[in-house]
Amino acid sequence: MFSSKQMSSVYRQIDIETGVSGASAHQLITLLFNGALDSIAQAKGAMQARNIEAKCAAVSKTVRIVDEGLKAGLDMRAGGELAQHLNDLYGYIVMRLTQANLRNDINALDECARLLTPIRDAWVTIAPADATVVRAAMEVHA
């Protein structure tokens, strides 16, 4: 028999997978930003609770989202100078997340959240009215 915590986790995973499979390209990037910010908040809470395992897992998840999601998703040719600046910023955020993890530095986590939030907010503001839905077989690892 499943506990209520296990069932909650299963329902959350299904909700994430459903949201991803029916999302537009723009919505996928929004999900990445939200996931990164949520993971930073989880890392901060784990750091404050002195839960090293949870802190490391949350920071690692954030690094992967920023590096393998946001940064890897940049179109450097078409994006020009803006894409290069975002690439540099994402590289800096990954470095600060790593430092935060190694030094248990809550201020570094806060800095990363402060850097990502206005970009996420601007991204949400420019959402296309008629977004093309991306249908792909995607794996979500929470």
Side-chain angles (χ1 to χ4, degrees):
M1 198 75 188
F2 291 110
S3 71
S4 62
K5 184 177 179 180
Q6 289 170 321
M7 289 304 295
S8 175
S9 177
V10 169
Y11 286 126
R12 183 172 176 261
Q13 186 66 28
I14 290 168
D15 187 47
I16 290 169
E17 290 173 2
T18 302
V20 168
S21 68
S24 69
H26 190 274
Q27 291 167 328
L28 290 174
I29 299 299
T30 303
L31 289 172
L32 289 172
F33 278 121
N34 291 341
L37 291 168
D38 287 345
S39 292
I40 289 171
Q42 290 171 10
K44 185 175 176 180
M47 198 177 284
Q48 291 169 330
R50 300 191 195 310
N51 184 338
I52 295 169
E53 184 179 342
K55 174 202 67 164
C56 290
V59 170
S60 293
K61 182 177 180 181
T62 310
V63 166
R64 289 191 65 209
I65 290 170
V66 173
D67 199 39
E68 297 174 18
L70 296 171
K71 188 175 179 182
L74 294 172
D75 184 340
M76 300 305 289
R77 288 195 308 147
E81 190 176 335
L82 176 60
Q84 185 58 53
H85 288 305
L86 286 171
N87 185 64
D88 294 344
L89 179 62
Y90 294 153
Y92 175 78
I93 290 170
V94 167
M95 179 194 67
R96 291 296 286 152
L97 288 166
T98 303
Q99 290 173 341
N101 195 25
L102 293 171
R103 299 175 183 158
N104 288 318
D105 186 349
I106 288 177
N107 292 325
L109 293 177
D110 289 339
E111 177 186 7
C112 293
R114 282 193 310 272
L115 291 169
L116 285 172
T117 299
I119 300 167
R120 190 262 328 257
D121 293 346
W123 183 257
V124 169
T125 301
I126 64 166
D130 183 28
T132 304
V133 174
V134 174
R135 298 255 182 227
M138 299 184 75
E139 245 182 85
V140 177
H141 300 284

